[in-house]
Amino acid sequence: MTSEVPPETPTEAPAVKPTETLAETPSGTPATTPAGASVAPSPAPSPVPSSDARERERRHAQRAEGWSIVWMLVALLVWGWFAFLMLADYGPEYDGRAVCRGPLVGPLPEGRRCEDAWRAWPALLGVLALATLTTVTAAATTVYAKVLTRLAHRDRPSVPLSGGPGAPSRG
């Protein structure tokens, strides 16, 4: 009992009417269009971004640069506040000078008249932590803005560095 396998029939191409032409859709499947209608090929993605995309990238880079400047100013302000708390004299005045010296300038004040909540070490360490945090944020935002600026200008021709491959030789 052997079963015979019928011979394979060649696969036939779909019949096309003379008034229709075959075109490919963006997904790659064939589609028919009426005769005389032009079939526009799907645009291939270009390696160079369009002018609208470039303009958006430049605006985004400028906005990030603005935020980096704002964070830098905030960091400077907090560091100035920390320096003022550490160095400035405070408290009641006696003979035209404040009685209590700043924590970095003079000895630790003793007595109730020199007690100040902002001059206590936990508060000073909190201001120091805030200054450090704003500085790190300012640095990270600045680096991010510089990277975005370079990416926004990447389509411009670059000048090769001396000594690298493709650099003009001197001689």
Side-chain angles (χ1 to χ4, degrees):
M1 301 233 144
T2 60
S3 63
E4 283 190 34
V5 178
E8 293 185 25
T9 58
T11 310
E12 295 181 18
V16 178
K17 297 178 185 176
T19 60
E20 297 178 345
T21 58
L22 278 178
E24 283 193 13
T25 61
S27 63
T29 59
T32 57
T33 57
S38 63
V39 176
S42 62
S46 65
V48 179
S50 67
S51 62
D52 290 340
R54 282 188 229 143
E55 186 60 34
R56 267 193 315 256
E57 288 175 351
R58 286 188 183 105
R59 280 195 315 258
H60 190 64
Q62 288 172 346
R63 190 177 16 225
E65 192 170 348
W67 276 109
S68 71
I69 292 170
V70 168
W71 277 111
M72 198 71 71
L73 291 174
V74 169
L76 287 173
L77 186 76
V78 175
W79 277 110
W81 181 32
F82 179 71
F84 174 77
L85 290 175
M86 292 295 287
L87 299 173
D89 294 340
Y90 63 99
E93 290 190 15
Y94 180 75
D95 248 354
R97 287 192 66 194
V99 174
C100 306
R101 309 274 296 168
L104 272 182
V105 178
L108 291 175
E110 294 186 22
R112 289 203 163 260
R113 64 183 176 171
C114 289
E115 286 181 10
D116 184 18
W118 284 108
R119 299 301 200 290
W121 282 107
L124 289 172
L125 291 177
V127 174
L128 177 63
L130 184 63
T132 305
L133 181 68
T134 56
T135 302
V136 168
T137 304
T141 309
T142 302
V143 169
Y144 179 66
K146 295 296 180 188
V147 167
L148 285 181
T149 302
R150 288 214 176 174
L151 286 175
H153 299 294
R154 71 183 175 272
D155 56 319
R156 293 184 180 169
S158 60
V159 177
L161 298 174
S162 61
S169 61
R170 295 181 186 176

